[in-house]
Amino acid sequence: MIPVLGYEGAVVAVLGLGRSGLSAARALREGGARVVVWDDTDAARARAEDDGFEVRRLDRAEAFDDVACLITSPGIPHLYPQPNAAIAAALRAGVPVDNDIGLFFQSLGGDWDMFDQPPKVIAVTGSNGKSTTSALIHHILTTAGRESQLAGNIGRGVLDIDPPEDGGVVVLELSSYQTDLARSLTPDVAVFTNFSADHLDRHAGLGGYFAAKRRLFAEGGPDRAVIGVDEVEGLYLAGQLSEGRADDRVIRVSSGQKLGGPGWYVFVRKGFLSEWRKGRQVASLDLRDIAGLPGAHNHQNACAAYAACRSLTLAPREIEAAMRSFTGLPHRSQRVAEVNGVTFVNDSKATNVDSALKALLAFPKIRWVCGGLMKDGGLGALQPALDHVAKAYVIGREPESFALQLPGVAAEICGDMATAVARAAADAQPGEVVLLAPAAASFDQYDNFEQRGDDFIACVMSATGQE
């Protein structure tokens, strides 16, 4: 655990008692704070009381008379579409609002003078690929013999990790919900994978969403910034952070375009990753046969992870060897089975159109399991990949509406996962891929994308006789 510093003897309120909220409450208590908590659910409040915390309603101004700070969980709105009642009460009372990420950066590194090599923090944000990039960085570091911990939106709660050791690295996956509110953001290396529309209601539009991501770099002032420049937002961010063309504190990365100039660049073309510095190539890796990183979107993740690890002085061959043993993450281009020449791939995390597009472009001929709770903007952006689809098998509560947005694609209305997988498996020919890439949220039929992916895997096992 990372004890929270700066609140010894003070009253600190914690709103929301999920994983991050409880972790923050315990770390605050460990640092000497008196912690009061609130959650809207009876069960969460009961668990907190059993853990020795004082429960206090926080939706009234008088609740904050003795409170030094309010710590809120990332899923609770603090500004848009409207602030939670407790957060609004804190703001009216003049009480600062923070989250566990802010507490982490505020409290890390209390006594590092004893270390020969001070620990480092790599923070990864972006619209898609954050989890895979973070996990790949962690895997590379661990495989290379570096002490590494994975936390944030993936792995352990950020305050639940062990204090890093000499030369240790903490790898954090950070969502826009986390970067938007954290009062302290000071990573050594910050990574921006890519940018596409998502969470627009929470950030009041695309500009607010980008501003939340940008805070990690503008507020954090990292020593090195790894920036995906395949979208204009990344180009803009790299330009803002750089002092000139030769400024190698900014490492620009791309999947699909050659980059060049006097700076530091990492890019992939035709499956080959290239690193260029000061106008010359210094390394090249062949990604084409790395099973855990299929498709252009994973090659983009590989570029970002490679650049982050190179910024910590790992050698190119060390990184390549570690990438070859990377098996990927559940629900993200996860190869579930191969039966009679047909490959089954679970990409349930493809909850928006951009991530689904990248999943579809990764394979030449697809039996596509898709559908769910559609997000704003429709499915028009999928058009460049629809020629990869042999047939769509549509699930969700309103599959007909989803199918109507796939012009020119043969679509079968299935409704549920079991029917879709059974029909796709029966139709699939050797060399084809049965791919779950929903291009939609899961909440119309499942609690989360993980549950949806697990159901896909179970249905594949049943349909192929591997139960």
Side-chain angles (χ1 to χ4, degrees):
M1 176 176 288
I2 305 290
V4 173
L5 305 180
Y7 293 105
E8 185 174 359
V11 177
V12 179
V14 174
L15 177 65
L17 298 172
R19 185 187 70 162
S20 67
L22 270 178
S23 170
R26 290 167 180 154
L28 282 158
R29 181 170 61 188
E30 186 72 15
R34 177 188 158 204
V35 183
V36 299
V37 301
W38 180 257
D39 192 286
D40 288 340
T41 63
D42 294 339
R45 294 197 301 271
R47 284 194 300 270
E49 284 188 307
D50 290 343
D51 205 357
F53 291 108
E54 176 189 340
V55 173
R56 178 191 296 185
R57 286 198 63 157
L58 297 173
D59 56 354
R60 303 161 189 167
E62 58 268 24
F64 292 96
D65 287 346
D66 61 345
V67 171
C69 185
L70 172 65
I71 306 303
T72 183
S73 295
I76 300 174
H78 59 272
L79 186 55
Y80 302 113
Q82 62 183 23
N84 175 275
I87 295 176
L91 295 173
R92 284 193 295 268
V95 172
V97 180
D98 204 347
N99 61 18
D100 63 330
I101 303 302
L103 295 180
F104 168 82
F105 281 111
Q106 172 185 319
S107 304
L108 192 67
D111 187 16
W112 283 2
D113 292 341
M114 65 181 126
F115 291 150
D116 292 330
Q117 298 182 60
K120 302 284 188 181
V121 177
I122 299 175
V124 180
T125 195
S127 295
N128 298 304
K130 297 185 298 295
S131 295
T132 297
T133 300
S134 301
L136 181 56
I137 293 169
H138 172 63
H139 176 78
I140 292 168
L141 292 169
T142 303
T143 304
R146 296 285 293 270
E147 187 250 323
S148 174
Q149 298 181 78
L150 184 62
N153 248 18
I154 187 174
R156 301 162 69 183
V158 69
L159 293 168
D160 280 335
I161 67 170
D162 301 320
E165 299 175 358
D166 196 336
V169 182
V170 178
V171 184
L172 301 181
E173 179 199 338
L174 299 181
S175 73
S176 60
Y177 292 7
Q178 294 167 311
T179 59
D180 194 24
L181 187 61
R183 295 172 67 87
S184 180
L185 286 167
T186 54
D188 298 282
V189 180
V191 179
F192 182 88
T193 58
N194 51 53
F195 190 79
S196 62
D198 209 355
H199 308 305
L200 300 188
D201 58 338
R202 178 66 181 265
H203 298 293
L206 199 62
Y209 177 47
F210 177 62
K213 298 288 189 187
R214 181 180 174 275
R215 284 193 79 245
L216 180 63
F217 303 85
E219 302 288 334
D223 296 332
R224 279 259 158 67
V226 176
I227 310 292
V229 295
D230 287 332
E231 296 87 28
V232 66
E233 291 83 2
L235 277 172
Y236 171 79
L237 182 59
Q240 279 204 316
L241 296 172
S242 176
E243 294 295 331
R245 295 185 68 214
D247 186 354
D248 67 359
R249 295 173 304 166
V250 178
I251 309 175
R252 292 167 171 83
V253 304
S254 172
S255 174
Q257 58 176 317
K258 182 178 180 179
L259 304 176
W264 195 348
Y265 305 93
V266 178
F267 59 89
V268 171
R269 292 192 71 196
K270 298 181 179 180
F272 287 88
L273 182 152
S274 296
E275 177 188 2
W276 285 67
R277 297 189 72 173
K278 299 179 180 179
R280 65 184 185 88
Q281 183 171 311
V282 297
S284 177
L285 280 63
D286 187 354
L287 303 179
R288 294 173 299 173
D289 61 346
I290 298 180
L293 295 168
H297 60 307
N298 275 309
H299 290 174
Q300 184 181 61
N301 299 334
C303 283
Y306 175 94
C309 291
R310 285 287 285 146
S311 75
L312 298 185
T313 71
L314 270 70
R317 294 307 164 200
E318 278 186 296
I319 298 172
E320 180 179 19
M323 284 182 175
R324 293 193 176 281
S325 62
F326 182 67
T327 58
L329 290 176
H331 315 298
R332 299 163 178 86
S333 298
Q334 177 189 9
R335 290 176 181 258
V336 173
E338 185 172 339
V339 180
N340 298 326
V342 176
T343 303
F344 295 81
V345 176
N346 166 27
D347 205 337
S348 183
K349 186 62 170 68
T351 58
N352 59 39
V353 169
D354 184 66
S355 54
L357 173 67
K358 290 172 180 175
L360 291 171
L361 289 172
F363 306 102
K365 194 160 187 182
I366 297 165
R367 302 285 170 174
W368 181 28
V369 180
C370 55
L373 190 63
M374 278 197 295
K375 297 185 177 182
D376 293 341
L379 305 177
L382 291 172
Q383 192 64 41
L386 294 184
D387 60 347
H388 291 222
V389 178
K391 187 175 180 180
Y393 304 80
V394 188
I395 64 173
R397 289 184 183 171
E398 297 181 353
E400 294 85 0
S401 299
F402 193 98
L404 283 173
Q405 295 201 42
L406 302 173
V409 175
E412 182 172 339
I413 304 302
C414 297
D416 62 88
M417 186 70 73
T419 302
V421 172
R423 295 295 307 130
D427 293 345
Q429 303 297 310
E432 294 183 344
V433 172
V434 175
L435 171 69
L436 171 65
S442 58
F443 304 125
D444 58 337
Q445 292 183 311
Y446 301 94
D447 291 339
N448 47 54
F449 73 84
E450 293 96 339
Q451 189 182 81
R452 177 172 60 190
D454 289 340
D455 191 25
F456 174 77
I457 294 169
C459 291
V460 168
M461 297 300 107
S462 175
T464 59
Q466 298 184 77
E467 290 182 304

